[in-house]
Amino acid sequence: MRLCILASGNGSNFEAIQEAIMKNELDARICCVISDKKNAFIHTRAKNHSIPSHHVSFKSYMNKEAAEGKISEIIDSYNPDYIVCAGYMKILGESFVNLYPNMILNIHPSKLPKYKGLNALQQALNNHDTEVGVTVHYIDVSLDGGPIIKQEVFEINRSQSKEEIEAILHKTEHKLYVEVLKELGKEV
Ligand code: GRF
């Protein structure tokens, strides 16, 4: 199974997927990383694994559609089975999404459909939720609204700090993304 990763930041989900591949737990290959941020740490991570990483600066293009055109040109050159969004902070445009039906995955730190968009954990804490979740879903043209593939929910309590909960969330994300990719890989 061939994967292209789209990301904007740290890349810990990328790292978890790559680790699972290296441990032979996941039969896949990360063909490339593409980021809209030049200094994103994920470029360093990709380099450490000798995985090509590309920077597409949206400022260099006339509009979002043109920048996404460049992203899809890069993606198509790798002929991936899935495009894995892992902390990609831009909303993908309709024409890009329509090019890849049932091929774009995303991970979101909430029990979707609750708390779409940014600061999902903070929203859950503000509402005094007693459980939070992580969701892997297909991307369609709605924000964080495509079909859910897998979700994991865990309880939280008032004695835990936001940082502690965040750490559990990230660990859960790393596990869940690998589990989903394993499942999807059976169909490739
Ligand atoms: C994750 O929390 C993910 O749910 C969200 O962005 C974050 C990316 O983290 N979409 P990382 O870059 O993989 O470390």
Side-chain angles (χ1 to χ4, degrees):
M1 179 171 55
R2 297 170 62 81
L3 310 174
C4 285
I5 306 279
L6 261 184
S8 302
N10 174 29
S12 69
N13 279 284
F14 155 78
E15 193 79 51
I17 294 165
Q18 177 59 17
E19 263 174 32
I21 292 171
M22 291 188 309
K23 286 185 197 157
N24 290 321
E25 288 168 11
L26 175 64
D27 186 11
R29 175 172 159 212
I30 298 179
C31 303
C32 76
V33 164
I34 305 168
S35 176
D36 58 313
K37 295 270 184 289
K38 190 175 180 199
N39 295 320
F41 186 58
I42 194 165
H43 292 298
T44 307
R45 294 185 188 265
K47 201 171 167 202
N48 290 341
H49 292 293
S50 306
I51 291 171
S53 73
H54 303 265
H55 167 229
V56 176
S57 163
F58 277 52
K59 286 187 204 133
S60 311
Y61 293 86
M62 273 207 352
N63 52 36
K64 181 171 159 170
E65 216 168 2
E68 289 181 344
K70 178 65 191 171
I71 293 179
S72 75
E73 197 181 289
I74 298 169
I75 287 173
D76 293 346
S77 74
Y78 290 99
N79 192 26
D81 298 295
Y82 287 100
I83 299 159
V84 178
C85 294
Y88 184 66
M89 298 308 285
K90 280 191 153 57
I91 296 169
L92 291 165
E94 203 167 326
S95 37
F96 180 90
V97 171
N98 287 337
L99 284 175
Y100 306 103
N102 300 321
M103 261 183 78
I104 316 176
L105 312 177
N106 186 41
I107 191 153
H108 186 75
S110 85
K111 194 182 146 193
L112 286 175
K114 265 187 153 182
Y115 312 132
K116 297 175 179 182
L118 293 175
N119 303 319
L121 175 58
Q122 192 56 54
Q123 292 183 60
L125 295 175
N126 293 347
N127 285 337
H128 306 291
D129 286 4
T130 53
E131 56 177 29
V132 295
V134 170
T135 308
V136 177
H137 63 97
Y138 287 108
I139 285 193
D140 64 11
V141 289
S142 59
L143 172 65
D144 296 327
I148 291 174
I149 304 172
K150 202 166 186 182
Q151 187 169 72
E152 192 160 321
V153 172
F154 58 92
E155 286 185 5
I156 54 170
N157 60 61
R158 278 160 189 260
S159 73
Q160 290 170 296
S161 67
K162 185 181 175 191
E163 290 68 32
E164 281 169 336
I165 299 169
E166 240 157 14
I168 302 170
L169 263 180
H170 281 132
K171 252 186 149 170
T172 308
E173 287 187 342
H174 301 161
K175 185 175 73 76
L176 198 69
Y177 233 163
V178 171
E179 281 174 11
V180 166
L181 289 167
K182 271 189 201 169
E183 283 300 312
L184 293 175
K186 289 179 190 165
E187 291 155 27
V188 168

